[in-house]
Amino acid sequence: MNQIPMTLRGAERLREELNELKTVKRPRIIASIAEAREHGDLKENAEYHAAREEQGFCEGRIQEIEAKLSNAQVIDVTQMPKTGRVIFGATVTVLNIDTDEEATYRIVGDDEADFKQNLISVNSPMARGLVGKEADDVAIIKTPGGDVEYEILKVEYL
């Protein structure tokens, strides 16, 4: 399988979620199933079927997280050489040349991406247009509304 790029924070969040699923949610679901079994006839027991369905989702998520972590290429951007170039994990401050709006984005793995928190996926058009550039470079990002020019103001490795 291919390596999945992930920041140190992203890997830690996945480990926390995995721990939560295994130590809190899984035992709670098992207890719910045991309690529902005590109610008798399993064919028409809605609580039992709901708990079994929840168990399926939980086990699926556990397997998904374990697979991602086993294939993760964890990148600690603070340990990378400070070249001034935009790389995976870098925090980039850009200026939209057309609207004069300034924004700061962090380039992260697909699982960590959350545009509302200014975390953009390394596979997004925005990140692909920024990677490899340096401060004062202009990146042209292809969007559905047309090309947008961004000037890179600052590149940080936080």
Side-chain angles (χ1 to χ4, degrees):
M1 239 179 146
N2 292 338
Q3 292 273 303
I4 300 170
M6 192 176 296
T7 65
L8 205 53
R9 287 184 202 150
E12 187 56 40
R13 282 194 198 111
L14 278 181
R15 284 189 197 100
E16 288 170 5
E17 182 183 352
L18 182 62
N19 186 46
E20 172 82 11
L21 288 170
K22 284 183 168 182
T23 61
V24 178
K25 195 169 184 180
R26 183 188 269 169
R28 182 183 52 75
I29 293 169
I30 291 170
S32 296
I33 290 171
E35 183 181 326
R37 275 192 179 136
E38 292 174 4
H39 294 267
D41 187 13
L42 297 181
K43 288 181 186 175
E44 296 180 21
N45 188 332
E47 290 174 5
Y48 174 78
H49 292 291
R52 289 295 304 218
E53 187 174 328
E54 186 179 8
Q55 182 183 35
F57 287 127
C58 180
E59 294 302 323
R61 182 64 180 153
I62 288 171
Q63 288 177 352
E64 181 184 351
I65 292 172
E66 286 175 340
K68 286 178 182 175
L69 287 173
S70 69
N71 292 313
Q73 179 183 6
V74 180
I75 298 168
D76 184 0
V77 74
T78 61
Q79 303 300 314
M80 302 295 281
K82 313 287 188 265
T83 63
R85 288 197 178 280
V86 178
I87 59 171
F88 178 86
T91 302
V92 186
T93 303
V94 295
L95 175 71
N96 184 322
I97 294 174
D98 297 334
T99 63
D100 223 26
E101 289 180 37
E102 198 174 296
T104 302
Y105 299 107
R106 186 159 200 247
I107 300 173
V108 297
D110 290 334
D111 291 319
E112 306 166 72
D114 183 353
F115 197 73
K116 291 178 182 172
Q117 294 182 7
N118 292 338
L119 301 172
I120 59 173
S121 167
V122 69
N123 295 315
S124 69
M126 179 77 165
R128 284 193 306 239
L130 294 174
V131 169
K133 304 269 193 286
E134 298 177 343
D136 299 326
D137 285 354
V138 173
I140 299 171
I141 311 298
K142 295 190 183 311
T143 68
D147 292 352
V148 180
E149 291 185 2
Y150 289 94
E151 179 182 351
I152 299 173
L153 301 177
K154 184 169 47 173
V155 178
E156 300 173 283
Y157 305 100
L158 307 173

